[in-house]
Amino acid sequence: MSAIAPRASAAEAPVYPSLVADVGGTNARFGWLAQAGAAVTDVQVLPVREHRSPLSAVQAYLALQQARLGAGYQAPRRLAFALATSVGGDRLELTNAHWSFSRSELQAQLGLSSLLVLNDFEALALSLPRLSAAQLRQWGGARVLPGEFGQGFDGILFPNDTLRLGMLFLEDVDHRFPSRIR
């Protein structure tokens, strides 16, 4: 996990609304966070192949938001990207799509106070502690009691559109620094 340093202090810049996105080789899924603790709303799926860059896709999504919200629209100050690629360094290239871009340039072009970029598998793994009991599925013979999520061998197993398979167990995540795997 890594982020471009914020341009303004948290006290100076509003942090909501914020934009979240999950970008794979086929689709870019965008969602809107209106305020702290709010559910992600206004999810739109945009085909990656129809946009020459992430800037183009973000601008297309924001145009939809502007039309939907009208006079109540405020440009997002933050963007969090979960990308199907390695996320080290400023220059990013999607593994299974044509997008290649600079994080710092994208942040500047969109006028964001912060841009967080995560690998998509890391984003999925970090979501585990936030899942409700209704979102969990038992797999295998061990019985986990309610309230024991995060106590032992909780993990995530996920295929993606390239038929890779990833798995990460929570016991391997340093919860003080979630992006660091032990």
Side-chain angles (χ1 to χ4, degrees):
M1 175 180 82
S2 57
I4 300 294
R7 290 193 183 153
S9 74
E12 296 172 23
V15 294
Y16 293 96
S18 294
L19 184 60
V20 294
D22 174 28
V23 181
T26 305
N27 291 310
R29 289 159 290 283
F30 290 93
W32 193 255
L33 282 171
Q35 59 189 14
V40 175
T41 61
D42 303 321
V43 175
Q44 296 288 325
V45 178
L46 304 178
V48 169
R49 72 180 176 281
E50 292 180 13
H51 298 277
R52 69 183 185 288
S53 68
L55 177 63
S56 169
V58 169
Q59 288 172 332
Y61 176 82
L62 293 178
L64 294 170
Q65 280 300 92
Q66 262 184 310
R68 189 186 74 73
L69 296 172
Y73 173 82
Q74 292 181 341
R77 299 299 302 141
R78 300 184 313 173
L79 169 59
F81 257 142
L83 299 175
T85 194
S86 173
V87 295
D90 181 64
R91 190 99 202 135
L92 300 171
E93 297 192 27
L94 290 187
T95 304
N96 297 312
H98 63 280
W99 288 0
S100 174
F101 64 99
S102 160
R103 286 189 228 217
S104 57
E105 287 175 15
L106 181 63
Q107 182 177 351
Q109 290 165 330
L110 292 169
L112 301 170
S113 61
S114 68
L115 172 61
L116 173 67
V117 178
L118 299 168
N119 172 269
D120 57 346
F121 285 175
E122 180 181 18
L124 283 169
L126 291 172
S127 74
L128 289 178
R130 292 167 179 81
L131 296 177
S132 70
Q135 295 171 306
L136 302 175
R137 299 292 177 265
Q138 178 67 37
W139 190 38
R143 181 160 169 83
V144 177
L145 300 174
E148 289 187 348
F149 187 71
Q151 308 297 316
F153 288 99
D154 299 318
I156 188 165
L157 181 68
F158 38 90
N160 70 10
D161 59 357
T162 62
L163 301 178
R164 291 185 294 169
L165 191 65
M167 184 167 37
L168 179 66
F169 290 102
L170 281 181
E171 67 179 11
D172 294 329
V173 176
D174 183 336
H175 293 282
R176 294 167 299 153
F177 303 99
S179 66
R180 296 184 186 163
I181 307 300
R182 287 186 223 155

